[in-house]
Amino acid sequence: MNQEKERKNPFFEPYLTPHDTAPFDRIRLEDFEEAFMEGIRRDNEQIDKIINNPEKPTFDNTIINVDDEKDNYYDLLSRTSTVFFNLLSAETNDDMDALAQKMSPILTKHANDIRLNEQLFERIKYVHRHHRKLTAEEKMLLDNCYDGFVRSGALLDAEGKERLRQLTEEASMLGLQFSQNLLKEQKAYTLHITDEAQLDGLPETAREAAALAAKERELEGWVFTLDYPSYQPFMTYSTQRELRRQMYMARNTVCIHDNTENNLEICKRLINLRREIAQLLGYKTYADYVLKHRMAGNVRNVYKLLNDLIDAYKPTAKKEREELGEALEPWDIGFYSHKLQMKKFNIDAEMLRPYFQLDKVIDGVFGLANRLYGITFKENKEIPVYHPDVKAYEVFDKDGSYLAVFYADFHPRKGKQGGAWMTEYQSQWMEREDVKKPFGADNCKNVRPHVSVVMNLTKPTEGKPALLTLGEVETFLHEFGHSLHGMFANTRFESLSGTNVWWDFVELPSQFMENYAVEKEFLRTFAFHYETGEPLPDELINRIVKSRNFMVASACLRQVSFGLLDMAYYTKKDEFTDDIIPFEKKAWEKAILGKQRTDTCMTVQFSHIMAGGYAAGYYSYKWAEVLDADAFAVFKKHGIFDQQTAQRFRDNILSRGGTENPMVLYKRFKGSEPTIDALLKRNGIKRQKAKA
């Protein structure tokens, strides 16, 4: 008991862990609120020091102190928030959810207090007008800082500022509620089967995983869930059409039921809140507000991309659908797509699973990074982790120097959101050893990042290790690409480092890495049968390559439909009063093939645009796909493992973060702007001739 009383909040003292990593083994729920409140107090103390500084405002005494210069004392709120909100997605529970509900308005108010502080903004404005002799990176930081305050309402009058506070605090709460509702609804559903005959068609891996899921719930038989590794095989292989229908309807009616987890009104309110915020700040729509800081630049360019893709891909997509069959219901698509893929290419995910043992895939992905960039990974079990599933690695550069910490969290579980994402527990930045001296190489410590990828890949069973599908390998490569963007960061300021880039550029490093998943030279480095050790046969690799573009046009239109839906919501100029479900069906119908159902809804579970930062930005995936195909074509020309090309990619894309305009960085890598041609070629799509 005495020891418990003497225990200190780990956020308040040096971590004393390898590389100053988060001390997950010592953090308890009660530590967060105390650290949040003390962090807010210290932030306010720092702001008071800045605005009461009698010296003339300068870049060093104002901008750096506001935006990027850190020490363990004033960094408390950032460190606490980073750990808490990362865990809220990866390892939450009812108590954490309740604390998030409590702290969200407090933290939003605090952020508003800073951004709407008139004395602070006057100093920032003075520096912005009178700065001299700044480096390009310093100028970017200054512009971002000034513009960030303006876009947060610094130029509004008192009434406008108060209204903005109300809108942002409500939006923050509703975004959190959206996510919590979605997690609860998705985790609540199970399909419990006790009759083995109802498993007809399912591969052994799916049966074993379902048996394990039942055992974990102390049930007889088999349990299937809406987690992707459970849902996807069921929809692909099950011959039980009625059960497929049940699973499909369960997944696609999440958060529209008449219960406390219904997200329909939350979505409508979020759309209106964002529209009102944008209009309060002088923009016609929320999309106009967002796209000011995107490569696309404006709504017109986004729609041009989406419409160009529809024009290019829809004729092929129609042929794909005709080949499947016109009268299919949505729960039939995966099942009959698989049959057609087997007929045309004699290949499916289950044939490949035995060759994609997770441990070997990890070796393959790490080996790819080593072959391209010379970096190495070493697991360090002394680094604390937040769950036994998580592995922690030290990453070393090609010269042997320490580069980063890399966490990998692979499998679904109760308190974990679905999907896959990359995040950071510490970003990269340059720390001045002596803040009284000018920044320079002799007065600088390069603080290295702690990067994490969180996924929901197939779990091991009692009889087998974790065996992945090719799609899961692609997911791993995608998130690993994001992690390289974080690990290679080499900029002075944290807010410009790593993935802190325009959102339609951030997917380039991730989608670029996906290209390797179907490259023979890469597959031959790790794809060995988990039992026999035999390499993935050349015949199977050839079939993978040949089947790469199977249903590719339909997949493209699916992504485009999501982009159209996103833009339809956030280009609204007037109050959104429509019913969500019919609006959704109308918004994306141009990209939809076949009859739409009126009893399902995507919007209420579309975390990207409702709670994940992609509002008016979902087109970014297709925008970046143009970039990634164009960039990989450069590698194909010189060799997919060419180290000189990889070094150019690292130096000009992966290391530079948001220090320059993304197009400038891309042109520096390639020598010219990207075109759509490489994407069309990769997908086997021919441009349609213009009608006379």
Side-chain angles (χ1 to χ4, degrees):
M1 182 65 71
N2 290 335
Q3 288 181 345
E4 180 65 24
K5 286 184 177 180
E6 293 175 2
R7 192 186 76 87
K8 293 182 180 180
N9 189 318
F11 290 114
F12 290 178
E13 55 189 1
Y15 287 164
L16 302 178
T17 53
H19 307 294
D20 204 33
T21 46
F24 295 112
D25 54 337
R26 292 191 287 118
I27 296 172
R28 300 185 184 178
L29 180 66
E30 59 267 26
D31 296 327
F32 286 111
E33 184 172 357
E34 181 184 27
F36 274 133
M37 300 312 296
E38 173 62 13
I40 289 172
R41 189 197 68 77
R42 293 184 188 182
D43 264 14
N44 291 335
E45 180 182 306
Q46 183 187 36
I47 298 301
D48 286 342
K49 286 174 64 176
I50 295 171
I51 63 178
N52 292 316
N53 187 341
E55 298 177 3
K56 182 175 67 175
T58 66
F59 182 81
D60 272 10
N61 70 23
T62 300
I63 305 303
I64 288 183
N65 285 338
V66 168
D67 200 85
D68 260 73
E69 191 96 319
K70 294 174 176 287
D71 59 41
N72 283 331
Y73 182 80
Y74 287 124
D75 193 29
L76 176 60
L77 183 59
S78 175
R79 287 184 289 120
T80 306
S81 298
T82 296
V83 172
F84 180 80
F85 287 105
N86 281 341
L87 292 182
L88 196 66
S89 295
E91 185 64 11
T92 193
N93 53 51
D94 289 344
D95 291 335
M96 284 195 71
D97 287 349
L99 181 57
Q101 292 275 3
K102 179 180 181 180
M103 292 306 306
S104 181
I106 296 172
L107 293 170
T108 304
K109 178 182 181 300
H110 174 62
N112 282 332
D113 286 345
I114 294 174
R115 294 291 187 175
L116 298 175
N117 186 308
E118 294 180 6
Q119 292 171 281
L120 181 59
F121 182 61
E122 284 302 313
R123 291 183 67 92
I124 292 168
K125 186 162 59 174
Y126 180 89
V127 179
H128 194 250
R129 288 177 176 173
H130 299 94
H131 69 83
R132 294 179 181 176
K133 297 181 179 178
L134 297 181
T135 66
E137 189 172 342
E138 289 171 340
K139 179 65 165 57
M140 181 67 79
L141 179 71
L142 174 58
D143 288 343
N144 285 355
C145 184
Y146 175 80
D147 199 39
F149 271 74
V150 171
R151 287 169 66 82
S152 298
L155 296 178
L156 296 175
D157 59 20
E159 183 180 353
K161 288 177 180 176
E162 182 56 34
R163 181 59 182 152
L164 187 66
R165 285 179 179 273
Q166 296 169 1
L167 295 171
T168 54
E169 288 179 20
E170 185 180 355
S172 175
M173 283 296 295
L174 287 178
L176 178 62
Q177 186 64 53
F178 176 98
S179 297
Q180 292 180 347
N181 288 349
L182 179 58
L183 179 62
K184 289 176 182 177
E185 279 272 277
Q186 287 182 331
K187 298 298 182 181
Y189 177 83
T190 58
L191 175 66
H192 182 205
I193 292 176
T194 55
D195 181 0
E196 189 169 3
Q198 292 186 319
L199 301 178
D200 185 53
L202 294 175
E204 185 180 357
T205 53
R207 295 179 184 220
E208 290 177 345
L212 179 61
K215 185 177 180 180
E216 290 173 345
R217 292 164 174 78
E218 299 182 350
L219 296 172
E220 296 295 324
W222 302 265
V223 165
F224 296 88
T225 71
L226 300 184
D227 290 327
Y228 189 84
S230 179
Y231 177 84
Q232 188 64 22
F234 193 92
M235 299 304 294
T236 302
Y237 297 101
S238 174
T239 62
Q240 307 298 294
R241 191 169 190 246
E242 171 56 23
L243 294 183
R244 293 202 312 268
R245 186 195 68 80
Q246 290 179 30
M247 286 285 279
Y248 176 88
M249 293 304 295
R251 186 178 178 94
N252 289 279
T253 58
V254 161
C255 294
I256 62 172
H257 303 119
D258 186 16
N259 59 22
T260 56
E261 280 76 52
N262 188 298
N263 273 341
L264 286 167
E265 291 303 315
I266 288 177
C267 291
K268 291 173 73 170
R269 185 61 184 149
L270 281 168
I271 293 161
N272 281 318
L273 286 169
R274 288 167 181 155
R275 174 190 53 78
E276 191 173 345
I277 287 169
Q279 292 175 346
L280 189 61
L281 293 169
Y283 296 87
K284 292 181 181 179
T285 70
Y286 189 71
D288 292 312
Y289 168 76
V290 167
L291 293 169
K292 182 182 177 183
H293 283 190
R294 298 289 190 271
M295 292 181 77
N298 55 56
V299 170
R300 182 182 66 256
N301 288 339
V302 172
Y303 274 116
K304 182 180 186 307
L305 171 69
L306 298 177
N307 287 325
D308 284 351
L309 290 171
I310 290 173
D311 291 343
Y313 284 79
K314 196 166 187 177
T316 303
K318 286 181 177 178
K319 293 178 182 177
E320 291 173 349
R321 189 58 185 265
E322 289 169 2
E323 203 171 5
L324 268 187
E326 289 290 339
L328 298 180
E329 292 287 354
W331 48 85
D332 298 322
I333 301 296
F335 182 74
Y336 285 101
S337 292
H338 167 248
K339 284 185 172 296
L340 181 60
Q341 186 179 28
M342 286 295 293
K343 179 181 177 181
K344 295 180 72 170
F345 304 104
N346 190 28
I347 194 167
D348 75 351
E350 293 305 311
M351 288 182 183
L352 302 176
R353 270 194 201 273
Y355 298 95
F356 294 150
Q357 182 179 346
L358 177 57
D359 288 344
K360 299 296 185 190
V361 175
I362 294 170
D363 291 342
V365 172
F366 288 173
L368 174 59
N370 176 261
R371 198 162 175 181
L372 288 171
Y373 306 108
I375 63 175
T376 53
F377 294 74
K378 181 180 180 182
E379 186 174 3
N380 184 342
K381 295 186 178 180
E382 298 301 313
I383 296 176
V385 293
Y386 55 85
H387 189 277
D389 282 355
V390 181
K391 294 179 181 289
Y393 300 86
E394 293 172 300
V395 189
F396 299 95
D397 213 336
K398 57 186 174 184
D399 64 359
S401 62
Y402 164 69
L403 184 69
V405 168
F406 175 72
Y407 299 97
D409 183 354
F410 293 107
H411 304 300
R413 54 181 174 268
K414 182 180 179 182
K416 186 178 183 180
Q417 292 281 2
W421 61 94
M422 169 266 186
T423 188
E424 292 178 328
Y425 286 93
Q426 176 174 288
S427 300
Q428 179 272 335
W429 58 291
M430 304 284 191
E431 178 182 24
R432 284 191 289 185
E433 302 281 13
D434 185 343
V435 296
K436 295 180 181 179
K437 295 180 181 180
F439 178 83
D442 59 345
N443 185 32
C444 165
K445 174 188 175 184
N446 194 330
V447 178
R448 300 309 304 166
H450 305 160
V451 174
S452 176
V453 296
V454 187
M455 296 169 284
N456 283 273
L457 306 179
T458 299
K459 296 171 65 174
T461 63
E462 292 181 347
K464 289 187 177 69
L467 301 175
L468 308 187
T469 65
L470 179 61
E472 289 178 314
V473 175
E474 289 176 331
T475 295
F476 190 172
L477 285 165
H478 179 102
E479 301 308 330
F480 188 74
H482 281 310
S483 76
L484 290 176
H485 205 179
M487 289 188 286
F488 284 141
N490 195 34
T491 63
R492 178 179 173 187
F493 301 114
E494 181 183 22
S495 67
L496 299 178
S497 79
T499 57
N500 289 305
V501 299
W502 289 355
W503 280 57
D504 45 9
F505 190 63
V506 77
E507 296 298 335
L508 166 59
S510 55
Q511 294 182 184
F512 167 82
M513 290 297 287
E514 290 184 49
N515 286 280
Y516 284 93
V518 295
E519 291 292 331
K520 287 185 180 182
E521 291 177 87
F522 173 57
L523 289 169
R524 285 171 176 154
T525 65
F526 72 93
F528 301 96
H529 196 284
Y530 79 101
E531 288 180 315
T532 67
E534 291 296 315
L536 183 63
D538 285 352
E539 181 191 3
L540 268 180
I541 294 178
N542 290 335
R543 280 188 256 161
I544 291 172
V545 174
K546 288 179 180 178
S547 67
R548 179 182 191 182
N549 288 328
F550 177 68
M551 302 296 287
V552 69
S554 298
C556 175
L557 288 191
R558 181 174 182 270
Q559 285 291 90
V560 168
S561 73
F562 296 160
L564 289 173
L565 178 63
D566 175 35
M567 293 303 290
Y569 286 132
Y570 294 115
T571 53
K572 293 285 287 185
K573 296 179 181 178
D574 303 314
E575 183 180 4
F576 184 82
T577 58
D578 302 71
D579 289 336
I580 288 286
I581 295 177
F583 183 90
E584 171 184 286
K585 310 308 177 187
K586 180 70 175 176
W588 63 20
E589 66 179 353
K590 187 176 181 181
I592 297 294
L593 299 175
K595 185 180 178 181
Q596 298 196 63
R597 297 192 64 86
T598 58
D599 53 358
T600 60
C601 187
M602 167 68 177
T603 301
V604 291
Q605 52 183 300
F606 201 172
S607 294
H608 280 77
I609 70 167
M610 291 298 162
Y614 275 84
Y618 197 80
Y619 75 92
S620 299
Y621 286 99
K622 299 310 293 185
W623 187 277
E625 195 171 354
V626 172
L627 295 175
D628 91 65
D630 194 73
F632 198 67
V634 178
F635 276 78
K636 293 282 279 188
K637 180 180 178 180
H638 297 285
I640 63 169
F641 298 120
D642 183 66
Q643 292 184 355
Q644 289 186 327
T645 307
Q647 190 65 42
R648 287 209 320 277
F649 195 69
R650 174 177 176 171
D651 291 343
N652 295 298
I653 304 292
L654 299 178
S655 296
R656 299 310 305 147
T659 56
E660 294 184 74
N661 184 292
M663 188 57 77
V664 172
L665 297 176
Y666 188 83
K667 287 168 66 176
R668 195 174 294 148
F669 158 68
K670 187 199 173 191
S672 62
E673 292 192 3
T675 71
I676 197 173
D677 295 340
L679 176 61
L680 296 178
K681 180 179 179 181
R682 184 175 75 186
N683 290 164
I685 301 294
K686 295 182 180 179
R687 286 185 183 271
Q688 300 299 304
K689 294 182 180 179
K691 295 180 181 179

